[in-house]
Amino acid sequence: MDFSFQVISHNFPYLVSAARWTILISFLGMLVGLLLGIGICAARLSHHGWLRRAAALYISFFRGVPLLVQLLAFFYILPYAGVNLPATVAAFLSIGMCSAAYNAEILRGSLQAISPGQREAADALGIPPLALWRRILVPQALRIGLPSHINELILLVKVSSLASVVGIGELTRVAQNITGQTYRPLEIYMATAVIYFVINALIAWGGRRLERRLGVGQR
Amino acid sequence: MSEAAIDTSGMKVTDEVVIEIQHMHKWYGEFHVLKNVNLTVNRGERIVICGPSGSGKSTMIRCINRLEEHQQGHILVDGIELTNDLKNIDAIRREVGMVFQHFNLFPHLTVLENCTLAPIWVRQTPKKDAEEQAMHFLSKVKIPDQAHKYPGQLSGGQQQRVAIARSLCMNPRIMLFDEPTSALDPEMISEVLDTMIELAQEGMTMLCVTHEMGFARKVANRVIFMDGGEIIEQNEPEEFFTNPQSERTKLFLSQILNH
């Protein structure tokens, strides 16, 4: 069987359309992961012992159990609890909750890298805790951690392929379907690989640009 | 800093006590850092604190705005006692400005934003008013043209002047300086000292940990020598430098003045 570009060109629009779901799930997952990650990181560094322990438990659970298992559990167990979410929502929430554990640890590392002088200056000026976090610590931590957060986003784009097991028509799932119809795995999966690669190359490029732009303040 | 004598007409020490430290002790674990410190500061005083490194001088002034906690004794600032009561701590920090050795500017904010952050969040000043006020103080420290740059784009001396302007934006009644020129290249020291002299001339109450003895001679009305966590000696500058009483003071002065 010869390699056929025709197979690719014929099915490419379906793959690209499916890639939109891949992007949607991974970016929404990252958003949930970042916002929730900020909260978990704050809990991890809290003065209250029970909050710290709860955050540590969350992190060890979501880092310790395979995302595929989490996805399946989220998808099949929640309905028993009376929660019926659309599959895509369940997918990005589940991916986001897992990613939150990683983002929280990235943030914790970044926060610890901020010079103690920053907090002292804020204290000396009488800046209240909310402003200290919102205007001084979190913005600086996000900058320090930017390369790692971009890394995390790239991982999420790849990991979103796991959502295929719960029936979401994202890139990998659609590639499987097309392969089933055409019996052309070589062409279809090569095209799929190229699309994943392009998405992630764009993210990496955007990340580098963002780093350069935010770096202005650090010079 | 120019060698000429400075105009001291604005430097008036009043009878009003603004800081009172009584029998203060502080420990870091087992280590007794501050031993029975007693100090009364009147409004308008310019006090220079010197001493060998590790003598507790920075720790002492950091206790005044609660960057460090004391374990025994009393500290009163403007009549408010420093306790664990957050309300008191906030009230005192609103009155006391601080300038650090390493500037501690916020690197991700512009110079202007560095200066407006605290007035906006602490004093609820409207943004426009806060910016006007910030520009006023940036002009005062002679860098209004740098307002939209980031700290990392400025020289050390300029950064320290921004830090002074940032403190002044809170309209403090007392300024603490913790070795403000120690991290600066020699050619930038004078621009920072000149700014501090101007502040003194306007009657600001200042406590300054520094080894700039020229500054102490010209500006201070009192020089304090600390060693081993204690205040060993204090006197007006002329007396302090020409006629030190304790052996430790003599040794210290001989080390910093004759090298």
Side-chain angles (χ1 to χ4, degrees), chain A residues 180-214:
Chain A
Q181 288 163 11
T182 59
Y183 300 104
R184 286 286 190 167
L186 179 66
E187 288 87 347
I188 298 301
Y189 285 125
M190 260 185 78
T192 305
V194 168
I195 294 174
Y196 274 117
F197 180 81
V198 168
I199 295 173
N200 279 336
L202 285 174
I203 292 174
W205 175 76
R208 277 195 304 274
R209 276 190 59 129
L210 196 60
E211 269 179 57
R212 265 205 301 276
R213 237 188 71 192
L214 294 178

Tab-separated table of all heavy atoms in Angstrom, chain A residues 180-214:
chain	number	residue	atom	x	y	z
A	180	GLY	N	-10.629	3.902	11.183
A	180	GLY	CA	-11.555	2.782	11.135
A	180	GLY	C	-12.302	2.709	9.818
A	180	GLY	O	-12.603	1.622	9.313
A	181	GLN	N	-12.567	3.873	9.259
A	181	GLN	CA	-13.308	3.881	7.995
A	181	GLN	C	-12.407	3.675	6.792
A	181	GLN	O	-12.802	3.064	5.795
A	181	GLN	CB	-14.038	5.228	7.838
A	181	GLN	CG	-15.216	5.386	8.775
A	181	GLN	CD	-15.653	6.842	8.894
A	181	GLN	OE1	-15.213	7.695	8.131
A	181	GLN	NE2	-16.523	7.120	9.856
A	182	THR	N	-11.197	4.239	6.850
A	182	THR	CA	-10.348	4.239	5.648
A	182	THR	C	-9.295	3.144	5.654
A	182	THR	O	-8.705	2.873	4.618
A	182	THR	CB	-9.607	5.590	5.520
A	182	THR	OG1	-8.813	5.763	6.702
A	182	THR	CG2	-10.573	6.752	5.385
A	183	TYR	N	-9.042	2.547	6.827
A	183	TYR	CA	-7.918	1.602	6.970
A	183	TYR	C	-6.603	2.232	6.506
A	183	TYR	O	-5.806	1.597	5.831
A	183	TYR	CB	-8.195	0.289	6.216
A	183	TYR	CG	-9.427	-0.403	6.722
A	183	TYR	CD1	-10.610	-0.361	6.010
A	183	TYR	CD2	-9.389	-1.064	7.959
A	183	TYR	CE1	-11.757	-0.958	6.492
A	183	TYR	CE2	-10.549	-1.665	8.450
A	183	TYR	CZ	-11.729	-1.616	7.722
A	183	TYR	OH	-12.841	-2.197	8.193
A	184	ARG	N	-6.397	3.485	6.841
A	184	ARG	CA	-5.182	4.194	6.439
A	184	ARG	C	-4.496	4.787	7.679
A	184	ARG	O	-4.362	6.003	7.802
A	184	ARG	CB	-5.525	5.347	5.486
A	184	ARG	CG	-5.887	4.913	4.093
A	184	ARG	CD	-4.634	4.478	3.390
A	184	ARG	NE	-4.867	4.265	1.978
A	184	ARG	CZ	-3.875	4.120	1.090
A	184	ARG	NH1	-2.628	4.210	1.504
A	184	ARG	NH2	-4.140	3.902	-0.164
A	185	PRO	N	-4.076	3.940	8.651
A	185	PRO	CA	-3.509	4.482	9.891
A	185	PRO	C	-2.251	5.311	9.648
A	185	PRO	O	-2.067	6.344	10.293
A	185	PRO	CB	-3.207	3.232	10.714
A	185	PRO	CG	-3.169	2.102	9.734
A	185	PRO	CD	-4.084	2.468	8.610
A	186	LEU	N	-1.410	4.887	8.733
A	186	LEU	CA	-0.138	5.592	8.531
A	186	LEU	C	-0.361	7.066	8.210
A	186	LEU	O	0.153	7.964	8.902
A	186	LEU	CB	0.654	4.911	7.411
A	186	LEU	CG	1.996	5.584	7.084
A	186	LEU	CD1	2.954	5.469	8.264
A	186	LEU	CD2	2.614	4.967	5.830
A	187	GLU	N	-1.174	7.315	7.171
A	187	GLU	CA	-1.403	8.697	6.736
A	187	GLU	C	-2.132	9.507	7.820
A	187	GLU	O	-1.753	10.628	8.138
A	187	GLU	CB	-2.235	8.732	5.442
A	187	GLU	CG	-1.507	8.284	4.207
A	187	GLU	CD	-1.594	6.773	4.005
A	187	GLU	OE1	-2.010	6.057	4.936
A	187	GLU	OE2	-1.241	6.293	2.903
A	188	ILE	N	-3.186	8.889	8.343
A	188	ILE	CA	-4.028	9.638	9.292
A	188	ILE	C	-3.244	9.989	10.556
A	188	ILE	O	-3.261	11.135	11.021
A	188	ILE	CB	-5.291	8.827	9.664
A	188	ILE	CG1	-6.140	8.564	8.418
A	188	ILE	CG2	-6.115	9.550	10.720
A	188	ILE	CD1	-6.622	9.799	7.700
A	189	TYR	N	-2.513	8.998	11.119
A	189	TYR	CA	-1.795	9.303	12.369
A	189	TYR	C	-0.605	10.210	12.124
A	189	TYR	O	-0.223	10.985	12.999
A	189	TYR	CB	-1.386	8.007	13.085
A	189	TYR	CG	-2.578	7.350	13.755
A	189	TYR	CD1	-2.929	6.031	13.488
A	189	TYR	CD2	-3.369	8.076	14.645
A	189	TYR	CE1	-4.026	5.446	14.087
A	189	TYR	CE2	-4.478	7.507	15.246
A	189	TYR	CZ	-4.815	6.184	14.968
A	189	TYR	OH	-5.900	5.628	15.561
A	190	MET	N	-0.029	10.142	10.936
A	190	MET	CA	1.048	11.103	10.645
A	190	MET	C	0.497	12.517	10.608
A	190	MET	O	1.067	13.443	11.185
A	190	MET	CB	1.720	10.758	9.316
A	190	MET	CG	3.019	10.000	9.519
A	190	MET	SD	3.860	9.718	7.976
A	190	MET	CE	4.585	11.314	7.706
A	191	ALA	N	-0.648	12.675	9.915
A	191	ALA	CA	-1.261	14.005	9.851
A	191	ALA	C	-1.644	14.482	11.256
A	191	ALA	O	-1.441	15.641	11.622
A	191	ALA	CB	-2.498	13.956	8.958
A	192	THR	N	-2.158	13.537	12.070
A	192	THR	CA	-2.539	13.880	13.446
A	192	THR	C	-1.325	14.346	14.247
A	192	THR	O	-1.372	15.366	14.953
A	192	THR	CB	-3.160	12.646	14.127
A	192	THR	OG1	-4.240	12.178	13.323
A	192	THR	CG2	-3.656	12.984	15.520
A	193	ALA	N	-0.226	13.607	14.089
A	193	ALA	CA	0.991	13.971	14.806
A	193	ALA	C	1.447	15.369	14.408
A	193	ALA	O	1.834	16.184	15.252
A	193	ALA	CB	2.093	12.951	14.524
A	194	VAL	N	1.363	15.665	13.106
A	194	VAL	CA	1.796	16.985	12.632
A	194	VAL	C	0.930	18.080	13.262
A	194	VAL	O	1.429	19.118	13.698
A	194	VAL	CB	1.749	17.053	11.085
A	194	VAL	CG1	1.907	18.492	10.610
A	194	VAL	CG2	2.835	16.169	10.495
A	195	ILE	N	-0.385	17.821	13.337
A	195	ILE	CA	-1.265	18.843	13.914
A	195	ILE	C	-0.925	19.088	15.393
A	195	ILE	O	-0.788	20.231	15.839
A	195	ILE	CB	-2.755	18.447	13.766
A	195	ILE	CG1	-3.126	18.432	12.270
A	195	ILE	CG2	-3.667	19.426	14.513
A	195	ILE	CD1	-4.511	17.922	11.986
A	196	TYR	N	-0.746	18.008	16.173
A	196	TYR	CA	-0.332	18.176	17.584
A	196	TYR	C	0.967	18.972	17.656
A	196	TYR	O	1.123	19.896	18.464
A	196	TYR	CB	-0.106	16.806	18.251
A	196	TYR	CG	-1.366	16.196	18.835
A	196	TYR	CD1	-1.872	14.995	18.346
A	196	TYR	CD2	-2.036	16.814	19.887
A	196	TYR	CE1	-3.008	14.415	18.876
A	196	TYR	CE2	-3.181	16.245	20.433
A	196	TYR	CZ	-3.669	15.053	19.930
A	196	TYR	OH	-4.789	14.497	20.454
A	197	PHE	N	1.904	18.600	16.773
A	197	PHE	CA	3.209	19.262	16.819
A	197	PHE	C	3.080	20.751	16.537
A	197	PHE	O	3.668	21.581	17.228
A	197	PHE	CB	4.159	18.609	15.806
A	197	PHE	CG	5.507	19.246	15.794
A	197	PHE	CD1	6.447	18.907	16.755
A	197	PHE	CD2	5.840	20.214	14.845
A	197	PHE	CE1	7.687	19.508	16.766
A	197	PHE	CE2	7.082	20.827	14.856
A	197	PHE	CZ	8.003	20.471	15.820
A	198	VAL	N	2.253	21.094	15.533
A	198	VAL	CA	2.098	22.506	15.169
A	198	VAL	C	1.461	23.289	16.331
A	198	VAL	O	1.913	24.384	16.683
A	198	VAL	CB	1.261	22.656	13.878
A	198	VAL	CG1	0.860	24.114	13.662
A	198	VAL	CG2	2.060	22.144	12.686
A	199	ILE	N	0.411	22.702	16.939
A	199	ILE	CA	-0.233	23.392	18.078
A	199	ILE	C	0.808	23.693	19.156
A	199	ILE	O	0.932	24.817	19.644
A	199	ILE	CB	-1.365	22.525	18.690
A	199	ILE	CG1	-2.504	22.342	17.675
A	199	ILE	CG2	-1.907	23.167	19.968
A	199	ILE	CD1	-3.567	21.356	18.139
A	200	ASN	N	1.594	22.668	19.488
A	200	ASN	CA	2.550	22.857	20.586
A	200	ASN	C	3.705	23.768	20.198
A	200	ASN	O	4.217	24.519	21.037
A	200	ASN	CB	3.066	21.500	21.074
A	200	ASN	CG	2.058	20.859	22.019
A	200	ASN	OD1	1.252	21.560	22.634
A	200	ASN	ND2	2.075	19.542	22.114
A	201	ALA	N	4.092	23.728	18.929
A	201	ALA	CA	5.147	24.639	18.478
A	201	ALA	C	4.658	26.080	18.607
A	201	ALA	O	5.405	26.974	19.021
A	201	ALA	CB	5.551	24.323	17.044
A	202	LEU	N	3.376	26.301	18.279
A	202	LEU	CA	2.818	27.650	18.398
A	202	LEU	C	2.771	28.099	19.865
A	202	LEU	O	3.081	29.241	20.183
A	202	LEU	CB	1.405	27.698	17.790
A	202	LEU	CG	1.359	27.697	16.258
A	202	LEU	CD1	-0.089	27.592	15.769
A	202	LEU	CD2	2.019	28.952	15.695
A	203	ILE	N	2.390	27.164	20.735
A	203	ILE	CA	2.349	27.513	22.164
A	203	ILE	C	3.752	27.874	22.658
A	203	ILE	O	3.950	28.873	23.355
A	203	ILE	CB	1.774	26.343	22.998
A	203	ILE	CG1	0.289	26.147	22.669
A	203	ILE	CG2	1.963	26.604	24.498
A	203	ILE	CD1	-0.323	24.928	23.327
A	204	ALA	N	4.735	27.062	22.259
A	204	ALA	CA	6.110	27.325	22.700
A	204	ALA	C	6.582	28.686	22.186
A	204	ALA	O	7.206	29.459	22.919
A	204	ALA	CB	7.035	26.222	22.203
A	205	TRP	N	6.223	28.977	20.930
A	205	TRP	CA	6.613	30.255	20.344
A	205	TRP	C	5.959	31.425	21.095
A	205	TRP	O	6.609	32.396	21.456
A	205	TRP	CB	6.211	30.266	18.876
A	205	TRP	CG	6.432	31.558	18.159
A	205	TRP	CD1	7.626	32.056	17.713
A	205	TRP	CD2	5.441	32.537	17.817
A	205	TRP	NE1	7.439	33.273	17.110
A	205	TRP	CE2	6.105	33.592	17.157
A	205	TRP	CE3	4.059	32.609	17.993
A	205	TRP	CZ2	5.429	34.720	16.677
A	205	TRP	CZ3	3.388	33.728	17.511
A	205	TRP	CH2	4.072	34.772	16.864
A	206	GLY	N	4.642	31.272	21.346
A	206	GLY	CA	3.920	32.301	22.103
A	206	GLY	C	4.521	32.483	23.491
A	206	GLY	O	4.645	33.598	23.983
A	207	GLY	N	4.893	31.362	24.104
A	207	GLY	CA	5.488	31.418	25.441
A	207	GLY	C	6.784	32.202	25.442
A	207	GLY	O	7.028	33.026	26.326
A	208	ARG	N	7.614	31.940	24.414
A	208	ARG	CA	8.889	32.661	24.351
A	208	ARG	C	8.659	34.152	24.162
A	208	ARG	O	9.338	34.982	24.770
A	208	ARG	CB	9.749	32.115	23.195
A	208	ARG	CG	10.521	30.856	23.563
A	208	ARG	CD	11.616	30.577	22.547
A	208	ARG	NE	11.089	30.482	21.179
A	208	ARG	CZ	10.590	29.375	20.634
A	208	ARG	NH1	10.546	28.271	21.353
A	208	ARG	NH2	10.147	29.376	19.390
A	209	ARG	N	7.677	34.492	23.310
A	209	ARG	CA	7.371	35.917	23.104
A	209	ARG	C	6.915	36.572	24.399
A	209	ARG	O	7.318	37.675	24.745
A	209	ARG	CB	6.265	36.067	22.059
A	209	ARG	CG	6.773	36.050	20.649
A	209	ARG	CD	5.653	36.450	19.737
A	209	ARG	NE	5.159	37.782	20.080
A	209	ARG	CZ	5.008	38.760	19.200
A	209	ARG	NH1	5.303	38.557	17.951
A	209	ARG	NH2	4.542	39.926	19.578
A	210	LEU	N	6.025	35.854	25.107
A	210	LEU	CA	5.486	36.374	26.368
A	210	LEU	C	6.624	36.573	27.377
A	210	LEU	O	6.693	37.587	28.065
A	210	LEU	CB	4.453	35.389	26.911
A	210	LEU	CG	3.500	35.899	27.996
A	210	LEU	CD1	2.686	37.066	27.480
A	210	LEU	CD2	2.572	34.774	28.440
A	211	GLU	N	7.530	35.595	27.423
A	211	GLU	CA	8.674	35.706	28.345
A	211	GLU	C	9.489	36.951	28.044
A	211	GLU	O	9.897	37.674	28.935
A	211	GLU	CB	9.599	34.493	28.189
A	211	GLU	CG	9.269	33.348	29.103
A	211	GLU	CD	10.218	32.188	28.843
A	211	GLU	OE1	11.441	32.382	28.938
A	211	GLU	OE2	9.730	31.097	28.526
A	212	ARG	N	9.724	37.162	26.740
A	212	ARG	CA	10.516	38.339	26.368
A	212	ARG	C	9.794	39.614	26.760
A	212	ARG	O	10.391	40.551	27.279
A	212	ARG	CB	10.789	38.348	24.865
A	212	ARG	CG	12.133	37.734	24.495
A	212	ARG	CD	12.628	38.275	23.165
A	212	ARG	NE	11.701	38.011	22.078
A	212	ARG	CZ	11.654	36.871	21.399
A	212	ARG	NH1	12.482	35.891	21.713
A	212	ARG	NH2	10.790	36.695	20.427
A	213	ARG	N	8.471	39.629	26.522
A	213	ARG	CA	7.730	40.855	26.816
A	213	ARG	C	7.699	41.147	28.312
A	213	ARG	O	7.914	42.261	28.748
A	213	ARG	CB	6.298	40.739	26.287
A	213	ARG	CG	5.952	41.849	25.333
A	213	ARG	CD	4.498	41.827	24.985
A	213	ARG	NE	3.667	42.235	26.098
A	213	ARG	CZ	2.352	42.084	26.106
A	213	ARG	NH1	1.743	41.525	25.084
A	213	ARG	NH2	1.642	42.497	27.128
A	214	LEU	N	7.420	40.112	29.108
A	214	LEU	CA	7.340	40.326	30.556
A	214	LEU	C	8.722	40.547	31.145
A	214	LEU	O	8.875	41.156	32.187
A	214	LEU	CB	6.676	39.123	31.223
A	214	LEU	CG	5.212	38.910	30.854
A	214	LEU	CD1	4.676	37.665	31.531
A	214	LEU	CD2	4.385	40.122	31.247
